[in-house]
Amino acid sequence: MSDVLVVVESAGGTPKKVTLEMLTLARDLGTPVAVVLGAPGTAEPLVAKLGEYGAQKVLVAEHDDLAGYLVAPKAAALAEIVKSTSPAAVLLGSTQEGKEIAGRLAVKLDNGVLTDVVGLSADGTATQVVFAGSTIVKSTVTRGIPLVTVRGNSLTPTPAPAQPVVEAVAVEVPDNAKLATVTQRVAEAKGARPELAEASIVVSGGRGVGSAENFALVEELADLLGGAVGASRAAVDSGFYPHAFQVGQTGKTVSPQLYVALGISGAIQHRAGMQTSKTIVAVNKDAEAPIFELTDYGVVGDLFNVVPQAAEEIRKRK
Ligand SMILES: Cc1cc2nc3c(=O)[nH]c(=O)nc-3n(C[C@H](O)[C@H](O)[C@H](O)COP(=O)(O)OP(=O)(O)OC[C@H]3O[C@@H](n4cnc5c(N)ncnc54)[C@H](O)[C@@H]3O)c2cc1C
């Protein structure tokens, strides 16, 4: 079977969930080969987890230049790897960085590129979900191999343990890829909560929460459940919660085991970012709210009555 390159995204020495999803997808298409692009030392802590999700080989392209500039060096290094390995497909995460590398790679290789893909079949047909989830598009690149960016939370990553061969790749970064230098990195202040896009439990608040202060109630329930906090666009536009936490068509896509929607009506643009959640619970005082079309458990009631009672009950059972 031909190699399928999976470009690894990681944080703090751990592969991101989207990487594990891509390895899971790659197993259906060929032989999963993980590609680590980064500063020296990036790959070492990642190899075991990549193997756990089926990477048969880990290609390690490490060089200070890959971290010292913006994405151009990574695209240049990846182009060389693709030329030398002739893979059946290349998968990147549909993140800001993944999409930018994919675009640059497509130009370098004169290859088509498809973004925000949620599925890819062995014949190269990609599935994309557009117009807030109302339309499914099937497409293929018309030139070259399938070069796709995979939208996070499109599938459930499943382990398939392998003992990957680790192979170092020589990296030469051309001068024209070094035109934008990274001068400083500032770690984002992170609380104890899990990352929204990767969390297995998400508790989101909408306009019905009423104010920034009242979001403490959403945070309290999220913390009791060990989950992340999300928000509707109406809530973030009203200044109740930061934009980075918006769930939906123009926010983050989440697909947790449990999604709790508090004071959210369930507009199509919100659904687009959470409708694949495994279990959906909503609290809304309007029995006609469209969110109830989606829910596994719906509570018609005032969230200021319901949520404190739920929190109390969870506390008792802890
Ligand atoms: C191009 C485009 C992109 C968009 N992208 C997004 C996106 O990414 N994410 C997103 O969320 N939206 C998005 N929207 C906006 C979307 O259309 C809705 O306006 C938005 O989702 C509504 O947010 P909401 O449900 O919090 O507010 P509302 O629709 O105002 O609903 C509030 C709900 O709270 C309930 N409620 C009020 N008080 C209480 C209470 N005390 N207890 C219980 N329930 C209560 C009400 O019954 C109501 O159902 C987008 C819109 C457009 C046009």
Side-chain angles (χ1 to χ4, degrees), residues 207 232-233 246-250 263 265 269-270 284 302-303:
R207 202 196 315 259
S232 72
R233 178 155 151 185
Q246 181 183 320
V247 171
Q249 185 187 341
T250 43
S265 60
Q269 298 89 352
H270 186 79
N284 196 305
D302 187 323
L303 71 93

Side-chain angles (χ1 to χ4, degrees), residues 64-71 178-187:
D64 284 328
D65 285 350
L66 295 179
Y69 301 91
L70 295 183
V71 296
K178 298 188 201 170
L179 301 178
T181 311
V182 176
T183 56
Q184 194 187 11
R185 286 180 195 276
V186 180

Side-chain angles (χ1 to χ4, degrees), residues 217 220-221 224 299 301-317:
L217 203 60
E220 185 192 10
L221 188 60
L224 280 167
V299 182
D302 187 323
L303 71 93
F304 298 104
N305 285 329
V306 176
V307 176
Q309 290 181 58
E312 190 49 40
E313 200 57 37
I314 295 166
R315 238 182 254 110
K316 272 193 223 154
R317 287 165 191 240

